[in-house]
Amino acid sequence: MKKTLVGVLATAMLFTGTAMATPPSDVQKQLDGLTKQHEFPAALATITEGNGRTAAYTSGTSELGKRTAVPRNGQVRAGSNTKAFVATVVMQLVGEGKVELDKPINHYLPGAIKDDRITVRQLLNHTSGLANYTNYLGLEKFEEVRHRYLEPRELLDIGNAHPVTNQPGEKFKYSNTNYVLLGLLIQKVTGRPVAENVDQRIVRKLNLNDTYWPGVGEQGIRGKHPHGYAKTGNGIEDVTELDPSWGWAAGQIISTTKDLNAFYRGLLKGDLLKKAQLDEMKKTVDTAGEMWPGVEYGLGIASAPLSCGGRSWGHGGDIHGYETRGGVTDTGRAFSVAVTALPGTFQDTQEEAGKAHEAVLATVDAALCGAK
């Protein structure tokens, strides 16, 4: 989920996840830079080679103020990576002839939004112009909404209550409201919960054993995990436990860096979609001014340029306590990294927060370009 960077300075007790007797790898050095130089409490990462072999890395501390090892392949809140899962289910329904990309969403959900022109495709690639409901939730006072349960229709109502940002199809403008509608679309067409669809159509098919959609009212993280931190009105807080219902189909999933690699690899290899639907998913629009330089957005997945040439496919996610970034190349090499705070939580200025975010992206680029 997208967040505004906020500044605050704090100190963490840090240690590396690499044994002292072994020279640190390039990826390990990058993770250590994230925790030591850029002050993220913990960083976790997984490289998956084209042949499927994986290597896990960690740095920092799992819990501030303690020398607690970061669990390898620990679970984190994956934020907007959820969109790629939801988009994949929608594209499966397209392949099954149950949904048409260029039909208005109101065809499937009569009266859901005011504009009958907005299509399923425009929701998937964020060109609908619908207001982003998360801008109006009061997340800047997170301590007040942290444990609040919100129904999906409440999220849609918030988005509908505010003016559109552009005409349908005019330009890319990231809006979580789009994916609430897509979650409702999946439920309407299949007659089953979106969480169940994601589980049965993706998680079980790819054996993503550490990935799940939290149940209604579930605020914790089930498996081994590092603690996540955020700045609230009370200062820096451990926000590992929260109600993620406000993210729903736009950002609720919990996963690991290993599972995220497996998901994006499986998706791009064609394990989840027919070629026609995967080709549609990879048709992109320009995101200039909205995402980091060079990024193009398809139908629930994004394409980013690599410094070594070529591009990677993935998504990434921001939610209180965790940021995830990663991607997969044409060769099947995949990398995902997670840090346990959003950039700006532990930085003193906007400039430092921006550098922290760039360091996360640089870690992804280095790993996908061959660093081990």
Side-chain angles (χ1 to χ4, degrees):
M1 313 285 284
K2 298 179 72 178
K3 299 288 180 294
T4 301
L5 299 178
V6 290
V8 65
L9 187 63
T11 303
M13 184 182 296
L14 304 172
F15 71 102
T16 179
T18 298
M20 294 303 292
T22 305
S25 70
D26 292 336
V27 171
Q28 187 65 58
K29 289 176 182 177
Q30 293 266 4
L31 291 197
D32 291 345
L34 294 177
T35 58
K36 295 173 181 177
Q37 181 180 350
H38 296 289
E39 303 185 87
F40 293 109
L44 309 80
T46 300
I47 288 179
T48 305
E49 302 291 356
N51 61 11
R53 293 183 61 183
T54 66
Y57 303 82
T58 65
S59 182
T61 180
S62 184
E63 193 170 359
L64 281 179
K66 298 181 181 180
R67 191 177 175 86
T68 307
V70 179
R72 289 184 180 275
N73 201 40
Q75 289 179 334
V76 296
R77 298 192 185 278
S80 284
N81 286 290
T82 304
K83 293 181 175 68
F85 285 80
V86 168
T88 299
V89 174
V90 171
M91 296 308 292
Q92 289 174 340
L93 295 174
V94 171
E96 294 164 13
K98 298 174 182 176
V99 171
E100 293 184 31
L101 284 175
D102 296 309
K103 271 199 173 179
I105 187 62
N106 278 354
H107 171 80
Y108 302 99
L109 301 170
I113 54 175
K114 300 170 186 176
D115 193 332
D116 288 331
R117 298 173 296 169
I118 294 174
T119 66
V120 173
R121 185 189 299 274
Q122 291 164 348
L123 299 177
L124 285 162
N125 67 12
H126 294 290
T127 61
S128 70
L130 292 172
N132 187 357
Y133 74 87
T134 54
N135 289 343
Y136 306 100
L137 278 180
L139 293 176
E140 66 278 3
K141 296 181 179 178
F142 185 59
E143 67 278 8
E144 297 180 10
V145 299
R146 175 179 168 187
H147 300 295
R148 182 182 169 193
Y149 174 73
L150 288 154
E151 290 279 359
R153 283 283 178 172
E154 290 183 76
L155 306 177
L156 180 57
D157 287 347
I158 293 169
N160 280 336
H162 293 87
V164 299
T165 57
N166 52 265
Q167 293 300 304
E170 182 181 19
K171 63 179 181 179
F172 176 92
K173 186 69 174 177
Y174 196 93
S175 175
N176 292 303
T177 307
N178 294 323
Y179 277 76
V180 170
L181 281 159
L182 292 168
L184 293 171
L185 168 67
I186 290 169
Q187 296 189 156
K188 180 67 176 291
V189 170
T190 66
R192 300 301 304 166
V194 62
E196 181 183 296
N197 273 280
V198 167
D199 182 61
Q200 293 186 352
R201 291 170 172 267
I202 300 175
V203 173
R204 295 189 186 188
K205 186 167 185 178
L206 295 180
N207 296 314
L208 306 180
N209 297 323
D210 294 306
T211 299
Y212 68 96
W213 191 297
V216 173
E218 186 175 3
Q219 299 195 63
I221 297 177
R222 296 174 190 173
K224 59 182 181 180
H225 60 274
H227 291 238
Y229 294 88
K231 183 182 181 296
T232 74
N234 302 318
I236 298 293
E237 282 195 279
D238 183 333
V239 295
T240 309
E241 291 197 2
L242 56 83
D243 192 318
S245 59
W246 63 268
W248 198 54
Q252 190 161 346
I253 279 179
I254 287 172
S255 190
T256 64
T257 54
K258 182 179 179 181
D259 273 6
L260 289 173
N261 284 357
F263 166 61
Y264 288 113
R265 274 168 51 87
L267 174 62
L268 272 295
K269 281 195 304 178
D271 293 343
L272 297 171
L273 294 174
K274 300 171 186 176
K275 184 179 184 302
Q277 280 71 59
L278 184 57
D279 288 347
E280 287 289 342
M281 210 172 189
K282 294 172 76 172
K283 292 180 179 178
T284 61
V285 295
D286 184 30
T287 71
E290 276 284 297
M291 304 187 87
W292 54 98
V295 172
E296 298 174 359
Y297 202 94
L299 305 185
I301 53 173
S303 169
L306 296 170
S307 62
C308 53
R311 302 180 72 86
S312 66
W313 288 95
H315 200 288
D318 290 359
I319 191 169
H320 290 83
Y322 302 94
E323 177 170 86
T324 49
R325 291 290 184 272
V328 58
T329 69
D330 289 340
T331 66
R333 182 179 177 90
F335 179 78
S336 293
V337 61
V339 290
T340 55
L342 295 177
T345 304
F346 290 92
Q347 286 76 41
D348 198 26
T349 66
Q350 291 283 336
E351 181 180 4
E352 290 172 347
K355 289 180 179 178
H357 177 64
E358 290 169 4
V360 174
L361 297 179
T363 301
V364 175
D365 181 80
L368 291 178
C369 282
K372 294 183 179 293

